[in-house]
Amino acid sequence: MSRVQDSSILDDISKTLTVEAETAKFANIPREILDEFHTDMPQDAASAAPEPIQRVQVPAADFRLEASPRTPPTFQAVPPENVARMDMNALFEAVRECVGCPLRSNRKNVVFGAGSANADLMFIGEGPGRDEDRQGVPFVGEAGQLLTKMINAMRFSRSEVFIANIIKCHPPGNRNPEDDEATACLPFLRRQIELVEPKVIVLLGAIALKYLMGRTGITRARGNWLDYNGIKVMPTFHPAYLLRNPSSKKDVWEDLQKVMAFFGKSRSPISGR
């Protein structure tokens, strides 16, 4: 850089500092210091050779970044004794705020349940699907449409019954619930049953049978009355299973007719479908 260029840069700096001294009191730069700025600068500074940069060798280990361990998310189920004191509104809020299992991270909506809170008849499935997750309502997809037909064939409407699931959040890939997920969610379902006080529960599929009744083998259990805390329980196949195995619809219809008989309802005119 030439002395002319250097002098021009120093003039700019001097002018800037002068302005700062006049406009910003906190600068506190005396004018005499500004006037002597050039005289203090060695005349041969611009032409002086730059000092070589001293490179310090630092051991590579000093720059090694240790991978900080990832803290796993914390899941805390609501204590069952707290759930047991909730009314339906408080229960809904607790389900909506639940962080009891990993399903909380991926859901769009909790699927609490739907229907009459004073229903005599309750249906329990396994868990919400993609359609249910989007809408926050149980059994609204293809299997749900079939369930609606089943309910209507029994001479009930969806608004007269209560529909719920073992879990309230959609499992990824529509997989079955894991044990820890069902365990975290079951207190909510059990409290729903206590609040609704149905006379009959229809269990839809093997998952509902497993987690509510602690039994396996839906094929053997279907059509046989069970008891849940004094409530009559009728296990049968899940509507999604019927979509894959239409020939099993007649078995389910036999099971549902037993429920109808309990309520004193006659055979539906559309039962032949």
Side-chain angles (χ1 to χ4, degrees):
M1 180 182 293
S2 68
R3 290 195 175 189
V4 174
Q5 292 173 316
D6 182 64
S7 177
S8 175
I9 292 172
L10 293 174
D11 287 341
D12 291 341
I13 294 173
S14 179
K15 290 177 182 178
T16 301
L17 293 174
T18 300
V19 172
E20 290 293 332
E22 293 175 350
T23 60
K25 300 301 182 183
F26 58 82
N28 293 322
I29 302 175
R31 181 174 296 278
E32 56 270 20
I33 293 179
L34 298 176
D35 294 338
E36 295 174 1
F37 189 87
H38 287 295
T39 58
D40 290 341
M41 182 75 177
Q43 295 299 312
D44 59 348
S47 58
E51 294 184 9
I53 299 175
Q54 298 296 320
R55 301 187 182 277
V56 179
Q57 296 295 326
V58 180
D62 290 352
F63 284 96
R64 186 179 300 128
L65 296 177
E66 296 294 337
S68 57
R70 296 186 62 185
T71 303
T74 301
F75 301 108
Q76 182 65 51
V78 180
E81 59 271 21
N82 293 355
V83 176
R85 295 191 294 267
M86 295 177 182
D87 62 16
M88 196 67 83
N89 290 330
L91 193 64
F92 173 76
E93 292 298 328
V95 170
R96 189 169 63 174
E97 300 300 324
C98 177
V99 290
C101 78
L103 296 182
R104 171 67 173 83
S105 305
N106 300 311
R107 75 184 186 203
K108 291 183 175 62
N109 291 289
V110 295
V111 183
F112 179 73
S116 172
N118 300 304
D120 289 334
L121 177 59
M122 186 171 183
F123 291 84
I124 298 176
E126 58 184 64
R130 284 185 295 271
D131 293 325
E132 290 76 14
D133 184 44
R134 283 194 294 267
Q135 300 184 40
V137 180
F139 283 93
V140 294
E142 192 175 3
Q145 295 171 22
L146 179 54
L147 176 61
T148 300
K149 293 179 180 179
M150 292 162 55
I151 293 171
N152 292 340
M154 297 174 68
R155 298 289 184 87
F156 285 93
S157 66
R158 280 185 65 120
S159 62
E160 292 177 301
V161 304
F162 193 86
I163 305 172
N165 284 300
I166 294 294
I167 58 173
K168 311 298 186 187
C169 298
H170 170 52
N174 282 344
R175 63 166 172 76
N176 292 336
E178 301 289 347
D179 288 345
D180 60 332
E181 296 163 355
T183 299
C185 221
L186 269 173
F188 298 131
L189 175 63
R190 296 187 188 279
R191 183 57 178 159
Q192 283 179 311
I193 296 172
E194 291 175 357
L195 292 170
V196 175
E197 295 184 297
K199 293 181 172 63
V200 174
I201 296 173
V202 175
L203 292 182
L204 301 169
I207 299 300
L209 177 67
K210 173 184 176 181
Y211 288 113
L212 188 67
M213 304 301 297
R215 296 182 55 159
T216 59
I218 186 63
T219 302
R220 295 189 305 272
R222 57 145 289 268
N224 297 299
W225 287 110
L226 303 176
D227 179 86
Y228 173 82
N229 294 339
I231 301 171
K232 295 179 74 66
V233 175
M234 176 57 65
T236 194
F237 295 128
H238 194 284
Y241 175 83
L242 299 181
L243 293 175
R244 301 188 301 269
N245 302 274
S247 62
S248 294
K249 288 182 179 180
K250 61 179 179 58
D251 297 325
V252 172
W253 179 235
E254 290 176 0
D255 302 341
L256 298 183
Q257 285 187 90
K258 294 177 181 178
V259 177
M260 292 172 63
F262 174 85
F263 286 109
K265 291 182 178 286
S266 61
R267 182 183 178 91
S268 170
I270 63 172
S271 62
R273 292 184 182 182

